[in-house]
Amino acid sequence: MDPAEVELLAETLRKTMTAASGPALDAALAELGWPELLAEFPEVAIPTVFRLLGETGAHAPLLNDVVLHAAGRPQGGAPELPYAGGRWVVWERGADGGPGGVLDDELPLRTVPTGNPVPLAAGRRALGWWLAGTGRAMLSLARTHVLDRVQFGRPLASFQAVRHRLAETLVALDGAEAALVAADDPFGSLLAKAAAGQAALTAARHCQQVLGGVGFTAEHSLHRHVRRALVLDGLLGSSRELTREAGARLRAEGSAPRLVQL
């Protein structure tokens, strides 16, 4: 796909995700050709679709498709997925969210006793892009706030402490996306997902501080993105768990891979 086609696709997807979420979005994306796009152009489909899920705050069980496609299994199912703390979950297709075993009630994730291992690299890259998009959404909310808010007769954006927090968030997100672009094997995907999870958590922390009390209110949308980041970070291994796994592997092998993967 050429850049113009990718841009047109992204615009169409953004409008669709702004208008629908959950089962309705799942059906809408199927009509738009998501399964065919994933099969023919995964290098475009995964970054574009999952980053937009993060930026718009929408959700759909597309991670199931990515994991099943990578495993060579038929689409449409709901495989068991590893979750932080040694748990397993299933992302129920066609179900709405509700109280369950995870933090975000909007997501139809249900805990299960155990699961069958599946290839995780593609799923981790997909979640990495979703986390990066979620971080971008939080950064955008914080940026809008500091540009509009005035304190002590000065725009909030003029205070150095505020600028430093937002700059650190931007650097973390840019670094995570660079790692996702470079990831081309299971170990690189593990590191990229860890970097994206850490970047999203950094965004949550700094953007909450910048927004202050308003960021804690139910009326403001920041809390939805924070919950989403916490849940997605735990899926297929949290940033803390993946970092420890990477360190254990490097110690066991006694060597490090290419610098770009680190």
Side-chain angles (χ1 to χ4, degrees):
M1 300 180 69
D2 61 41
E5 291 175 324
V6 174
E7 184 176 352
L8 179 61
L9 172 65
E11 183 61 28
T12 301
L13 290 169
R14 185 182 294 277
K15 291 179 179 178
T16 303
M17 293 178 187
T18 302
S21 190
L25 178 58
D26 191 24
L29 292 176
E31 291 184 5
L32 287 175
W34 157 251
E36 293 77 17
L37 184 65
L38 176 62
E40 297 180 22
F41 304 102
E43 71 284 353
V44 173
I46 291 175
T48 304
V49 171
F50 282 87
R51 178 170 173 169
L52 285 171
L53 283 173
E55 291 180 358
T56 60
H59 68 86
L62 306 183
L63 180 63
N64 291 340
D65 300 328
V66 173
V67 171
L68 291 171
H69 179 262
R73 293 164 56 182
Q75 300 279 310
E80 299 90 358
L81 305 171
Y83 198 80
R87 293 174 289 173
W88 291 82
V89 298
V90 169
W91 195 311
E92 296 181 343
R93 187 149 231 149
D96 291 316
V102 293
L103 297 172
D104 192 341
D105 287 344
E106 293 183 3
L107 302 181
L109 286 170
R110 301 290 179 265
T111 56
V112 293
T114 187
N116 297 314
V118 292
L120 300 180
R124 283 172 170 164
R125 291 194 299 273
L127 284 173
W129 285 110
W130 198 341
L131 284 160
T134 300
R136 295 281 179 184
M138 290 186 279
L139 180 60
S140 177
L141 290 172
R143 179 179 180 274
T144 300
H145 177 76
V146 301
L147 289 174
D148 294 341
R149 185 72 178 266
V150 174
Q151 287 187 346
F152 308 110
R154 295 169 53 192
L156 192 57
S158 67
F159 291 95
Q160 190 176 51
V162 171
R163 296 166 69 92
H164 282 181
R165 286 188 180 273
L166 297 184
E168 184 177 336
T169 300
L170 179 61
V171 169
L173 291 170
D174 282 349
E177 291 181 359
L180 287 163
V181 170
D184 58 2
D185 63 4
F187 189 57
S189 300
L190 180 152
L191 292 173
K193 204 272 183 176
Q198 187 58 51
L201 296 178
T202 296
R205 183 174 68 255
H206 286 330
C207 293
Q208 179 66 77
Q209 287 291 324
V210 167
L211 283 161
V214 69
F216 289 97
T217 63
E219 290 76 11
H220 199 278
S221 58
L222 178 70
H223 69 95
R224 295 180 62 246
H225 295 294
V226 171
R227 291 202 315 271
R228 188 65 48 81
L230 290 169
V231 173
L232 297 180
D233 179 57
L235 263 176
L236 309 190
S238 68
S239 55
R240 179 175 296 182
E241 290 172 333
L242 296 180
T243 301
R244 289 175 177 172
E245 182 179 338
R249 170 175 167 173
L250 294 178
R251 288 197 304 269
E253 295 182 354
S255 63
R258 293 183 300 132
L259 181 60
V260 69
Q261 293 180 297
L262 298 175

